[in-house]
Amino acid sequence: MRIAVVGAGIVGVTTAYELATAGHQVTVFERRSSVAEEGSFANAGVVAPGYVTPWAAPGMPTRVLGHLLSRYAPVRIRAAALWRHPGWLWQWWRACAASAYQRNRSAMWRLARFSQARLAELGTRLQLDYEQRSGLLVLLRNEADLARSRPGMRLLADLGVRFELVDAERARLVEPGLNPDMPLRAAIHLPHEGVGNCRQFAQLLKAQVATQGASFRFDTAVKCVLPGPHPRIRTDEGESGFDAVVLCAGVDSARLLAPLGLQIPLVPVHGYSITAPLRHVDGQAEPGPNAALMDERYKVAISRIGQRVRVAGSAELGSDGDRMNPAALATLYRVLDDWFPGAVVSSQALQWKGARPMLPDGPPVLGHSGVDGVWLNLGHGSSGWAMSCGSALVLAELVSGRPSPLDLQGLGIERWRAGRP
């Protein structure tokens, strides 16, 4: 079949690869000049299915309110969100119920675990070197952090995720570069989770897709999708016909779906990162992180990306586009300085802000849209990198008329048609 993929972030590129591998003729439309230029550009890079979780969780509304006056808040709901996204906030609040959270986290974990296996398979088969490293250490600063983490550890055990609660001494053996003067109560070590350069992986996979005959139309914004047995894509350059269209366009997918009668509550929740090279003294790099770490209190990830360190976090709803929030950046710099003081060249740091396409309940939407010729692979929120390879394989199998290799309960569009989170 002739298939159009709209969007060339990590979800779009992996989808194009799986469709091309399945024998389809693929054309990718991307409004930017290359792949992974928006939400996939400088994300945390962490691939940890055990920590893929909905933002809508029991107690989250109370915690968000508690952060309103905090200088270093991991979550910020700005006043503009109250009038821009009131419906989304209402659905998010409903999805914080314990029963909804358990259902949604189960769906996300199932997809993330499947995706992790597919990512490893592709990396090995295609011999892709995308600066990946194994291991995740969740840092618990004090007794309160440890207490808050216990329900999560019980859930990890229920899911069968391998982890170990270690004391501070053991944690510093896993990550010798940790600041010895920083108080550390304990840590959760997940040896099979890890980190990788999402943008580099997308670029390498794009090259693989091109060898299979797929084409990429960069600097080409899609104006609308015209559904039907042979759907069409309209751009400023005209219209092109296909046998199917797959929307992977992040937040912009909501705009393209609205004229088709699909009101999916997809909004941007912005995240931040800083990326800086390791400092070298007498020709030797300062001891930075070995792999990936997560500061439990501030929900900030510290990742080793080649010879660079990336610090990523914050969840900001109602933000003004690309305008940087100094408070969000200050949180990242503080966490970096707490755990790895002086390890990077801060004057060369790249500061980044990206929009995560987030649904109120957490899981993405995979499968047929219910509109003739239009398929969906969108709404992965802050876990697009962690769920992309699995989502892509599932979507390609469905478009090809084959059964899904994964249980799709809680991942389809029907949950929004049913009017529940």
Side-chain angles (χ1 to χ4, degrees):
M1 290 194 295
R2 294 172 301 119
I3 301 178
V5 175
V6 183
I10 187 60
V11 174
V13 173
T14 52
T15 299
Y17 171 81
E18 297 291 0
L19 288 167
T21 300
H24 300 292
Q25 182 181 339
V26 179
T27 302
V28 182
F29 292 83
E30 169 55 47
R31 61 185 179 181
R32 302 294 186 181
S33 59
S34 184
V35 302
E37 287 288 297
E38 295 191 21
S40 306
F41 184 82
N43 56 27
V46 176
V47 179
Y51 275 83
V52 169
T53 183
W55 196 36
M60 181 61 78
T62 301
R63 289 197 291 273
V64 170
L65 290 174
H67 290 314
L68 288 179
L69 300 178
S70 173
R71 181 181 179 186
Y72 300 111
V75 177
R76 293 178 174 85
I77 296 181
R78 300 175 73 88
L82 300 178
W83 58 268
R84 288 179 186 170
H85 312 300
W88 191 96
L89 285 168
W90 168 247
Q91 291 169 315
W92 169 73
W93 180 80
R94 291 179 60 204
C96 288
S99 58
Y101 171 76
Q102 293 291 346
R103 180 176 65 242
N104 293 324
R105 176 156 187 177
S106 176
M108 294 177 73
W109 176 84
R110 191 168 63 247
L111 176 57
R113 182 60 78 193
F114 178 71
S115 187
Q116 183 187 44
R118 184 59 173 170
L119 172 62
E121 181 183 351
L122 291 178
T124 300
R125 185 205 306 167
L126 303 176
Q127 297 184 325
L128 303 179
D129 181 7
Y130 52 97
E131 298 178 317
Q132 68 271 33
R133 289 171 177 253
S134 296
L136 170 65
L137 197 66
V138 181
L139 304 172
L140 309 173
R141 292 172 178 250
N142 52 30
E143 199 65 38
D145 286 355
L146 177 58
R148 281 193 296 268
S149 70
R150 291 197 181 278
M153 284 189 281
R154 287 194 292 270
L155 185 55
L156 290 175
D158 291 343
L159 293 172
V161 178
R162 182 182 170 189
F163 73 95
E164 183 180 6
L165 180 65
V166 300
D167 60 19
E169 182 179 0
R170 176 74 179 279
R172 296 183 192 281
L173 291 176
V174 175
E175 285 286 355
L178 286 171
N179 182 2
D181 297 324
M182 189 65 197
L184 178 62
R185 171 63 179 83
I188 304 168
H189 184 217
L190 297 97
H192 295 302
E193 318 296 70
V195 63
N197 189 328
C198 174
R199 183 173 182 238
Q200 187 177 51
F201 181 87
Q203 292 170 329
L204 293 170
L205 201 62
K206 183 257 183 184
Q208 293 286 333
V209 177
T211 65
Q212 299 183 58
S215 62
F216 285 78
R217 295 178 60 177
F218 293 115
D219 298 310
T220 304
V222 173
K223 299 179 69 174
C224 66
V225 176
L226 306 173
H230 299 287
R232 304 183 70 79
I233 292 286
R234 179 179 295 165
T235 70
D236 286 334
E237 300 169 2
E239 291 185 7
S240 303
F242 299 91
D243 297 308
V245 172
V246 183
L247 288 184
C248 308
V251 175
D252 199 44
S253 299
R255 174 186 64 82
L256 296 172
L257 288 170
L260 308 182
L262 296 176
Q263 301 293 332
I264 293 181
L266 189 67
V267 303
V269 174
H270 287 86
Y272 291 78
S273 76
I274 53 175
T275 307
L278 283 166
R279 185 184 302 278
H280 283 71
V281 178
D282 297 328
Q284 298 294 319
E286 287 289 308
N290 282 331
L293 304 98
M294 175 69 71
D295 186 302
E296 176 65 21
R297 178 182 299 180
Y298 297 105
K299 305 298 182 184
V300 168
I302 307 174
S303 307
R304 179 69 173 264
I305 307 289
Q307 292 301 306
R308 303 175 306 287
V309 174
R310 178 165 297 160
V311 188
S314 187
E316 193 172 70
L317 181 65
S319 177
D320 295 327
D322 294 332
R323 183 179 178 183
M324 293 284 188
N325 183 342
L329 292 171
T331 301
L332 303 186
Y333 280 108
R334 175 193 171 156
V335 171
L336 174 61
D337 190 57
D338 280 349
W339 296 113
F340 297 98
V344 304
V345 185
S346 298
S347 62
Q348 297 179 24
L350 169 68
Q351 299 178 348
W352 174 83
K353 177 182 180 181
R356 303 155 173 164
M358 193 169 286
L359 292 160
D361 58 348
V365 173
L366 300 179
H368 197 267
S369 69
V371 175
D372 206 5
V374 180
W375 297 78
L376 307 177
N377 189 3
L378 51 85
H380 297 73
S382 60
S383 302
W385 174 219
M387 296 192 285
S388 57
C389 292
S391 298
L393 182 56
V394 167
L395 197 285
E397 292 295 282
L398 294 175
V399 172
S400 300
R402 294 187 287 268
S404 169
L406 181 75
D407 176 8
L408 294 181
Q409 183 176 358
L411 295 169
I413 195 174
E414 65 279 353
R415 73 185 193 267
W416 295 113
R417 287 183 169 157
R420 66 171 179 81

